[in-house]
Amino acid sequence: EKPSNLEEAARKKRYRHLEKVAKEFGFTKVALAHHQDDLAETILWRLIRGTGPRGLSAMQPLRGRYIRPLLNTARSEIQKYLTEQSLRSYSDPTNENRKFDRNKIRHDLLPYIESNFNPRVRSALMRFANWAEEQNNLVDELIQPYLKLITDKGIHKQKFLQLSLPLQKELIRRALLKSDPSFRLNSRTLEAILRTVKASTKLELPGYLVVECGQERIQFSPKTSGSGFQEIDVTGAGYYQFPPANISLKFSVVKKAELPALRHLAFVDA
């Protein structure tokens, strides 16, 4: 029985193992084998899912102890080098499984675009990612004078309302990350927060934060009740990750019948 987000679960497990080994042996750098094709696939996958500007500058050559020395090298170049040098390599058989979206992009979508639209689409996506990174760095630079509006007491409401909508959205994103670095903000939640600010009301966010908007301040604080909620799109039977508790929830469709009352079992109308 495997969770529906097997790829993400496996990725987290890999990084936990790399961190463990690096600390055990005192390694200051860990080289990852991501290459140009990986970057192109990631950018295209995120575009299809409707990511924001931050998600478009996918992989970084340097992130903490992790380095990606092959990020500007195509998969075909790496394979050619391995063959010429008679070096053994391992190919993960799950990379051929088209039930994973990334593999469908790799084996079907990208080759189709190359054949019918742009034979150098991978290089084009690489340039796009670099430009997006430059734009994100520019935003980081230009937002600096406005960050003083974010204090431990929250965001100054009247000054906030005088800003343009893009500035308001970026300040909310920064304030949320300051309150909870693991918070994943999407456009739907962002719009709900803006409506809350205009109405001067209170909103429970997915996870364990509350946004409260009074006459003077917009505040992001932990839920005092100790119980929070996480929005999950349940598209059908299967396993779904529940990050706050670090567990998977299993959803099954069953017919109405006499079923046992168990502590970790809940029944809802489908």
Side-chain angles (χ1 to χ4, degrees), residues 201-219:
T201 54
K202 180 179 177 180
L203 174 69
E204 284 198 9
L205 300 174
Y208 291 84
L209 284 178
V210 175
V211 55
E212 296 181 75
C213 185
Q215 295 303 314
E216 296 183 2
R217 300 280 174 185
I218 305 163
Q219 293 179 300

Side-chain angles (χ1 to χ4, degrees), residues 195-258:
R195 289 195 298 270
T196 300
V197 171
K198 288 180 180 178
S200 296
T201 54
K202 180 179 177 180
L203 174 69
E204 284 198 9
L205 300 174
Y208 291 84
L209 284 178
V210 175
V211 55
E212 296 181 75
C213 185
Q215 295 303 314
E216 296 183 2
R217 300 280 174 185
I218 305 163
Q219 293 179 300
F220 296 93
S221 54
K223 297 174 183 177
T224 54
S225 63
S227 61
F229 75 94
Q230 177 85 27
E231 287 188 356
I232 302 174
D233 290 324
V234 179
T235 55
Y239 286 87
Y240 295 82
Q241 194 66 16
F242 185 67
N246 194 28
I247 60 170
S248 287
L249 301 175
K250 181 183 179 183
F251 287 83
S252 304
V253 180
V254 296
K255 292 182 179 179
K256 192 174 181 180
E258 289 295 324

Side-chain angles (χ1 to χ4, degrees), residues 50-257:
T51 188
R54 296 282 161 182
L56 294 176
S57 53
M59 299 178 193
Q60 300 303 309
L62 175 65
R63 181 176 62 83
R65 76 166 87 235
Y66 296 100
I67 58 173
R68 294 184 172 97
L70 299 174
L71 209 50
N72 288 305
T73 309
R75 179 190 286 114
S76 58
E77 292 179 79
I78 298 170
Q79 290 172 329
K80 181 183 177 183
Y81 178 82
L82 292 172
T83 302
E84 289 175 350
Q85 300 297 320
S86 300
L87 294 171
R88 292 177 61 192
S89 63
Y90 172 76
S91 180
D92 184 351
T94 64
N95 288 336
E96 305 300 318
N97 192 335
R98 280 173 166 80
K99 79 174 184 179
F100 297 118
D101 291 338
R102 181 180 290 275
N103 291 342
K104 285 186 282 188
I105 290 171
R106 176 180 301 152
H107 299 299
D108 301 325
L109 183 56
L110 272 171
Y112 179 81
I113 295 173
E114 286 174 323
S115 299
N116 295 275
F117 294 95
N118 182 359
R120 295 183 59 81
V121 65
R122 297 170 201 265
S123 297
L125 287 168
M126 185 86 177
R127 291 196 304 274
F128 175 66
N130 291 333
W131 288 335
E133 178 65 17
E134 287 182 4
Q135 293 299 306
N136 286 329
N137 290 338
L138 178 62
V139 170
D140 289 340
E141 188 176 322
L142 297 177
I143 198 73
Q144 291 303 315
Y146 300 95
L147 293 181
K148 61 186 178 183
L149 296 180
I150 305 173
T151 67
D152 292 337
K153 295 180 180 179
I155 303 175
H156 191 286
K157 183 181 176 183
Q158 295 308 316
K159 292 180 180 178
F160 174 85
L161 292 175
Q162 292 171 9
L163 301 175
S164 65
L165 186 60
L167 269 173
Q168 289 180 356
K169 289 181 176 181
E170 184 63 15
L171 279 181
I172 286 175
R173 192 183 74 82
R174 303 274 177 149
L176 271 171
L177 288 176
K178 185 178 179 181
S179 301
D180 180 2
S182 65
F183 190 88
R184 290 191 175 184
L185 181 64
N186 58 40
S187 57
R188 184 171 57 183
T189 302
L190 186 53
E191 294 298 332
I193 293 172
L194 289 171
R195 289 195 298 270
T196 300
V197 171
K198 288 180 180 178
S200 296
T201 54
K202 180 179 177 180
L203 174 69
E204 284 198 9
L205 300 174
Y208 291 84
L209 284 178
V210 175
V211 55
E212 296 181 75
C213 185
Q215 295 303 314
E216 296 183 2
R217 300 280 174 185
I218 305 163
Q219 293 179 300
F220 296 93
S221 54
K223 297 174 183 177
T224 54
S225 63
S227 61
F229 75 94
Q230 177 85 27
E231 287 188 356
I232 302 174
D233 290 324
V234 179
T235 55
Y239 286 87
Y240 295 82
Q241 194 66 16
F242 185 67
N246 194 28
I247 60 170
S248 287
L249 301 175
K250 181 183 179 183
F251 287 83
S252 304
V253 180
V254 296
K255 292 182 179 179
K256 192 174 181 180

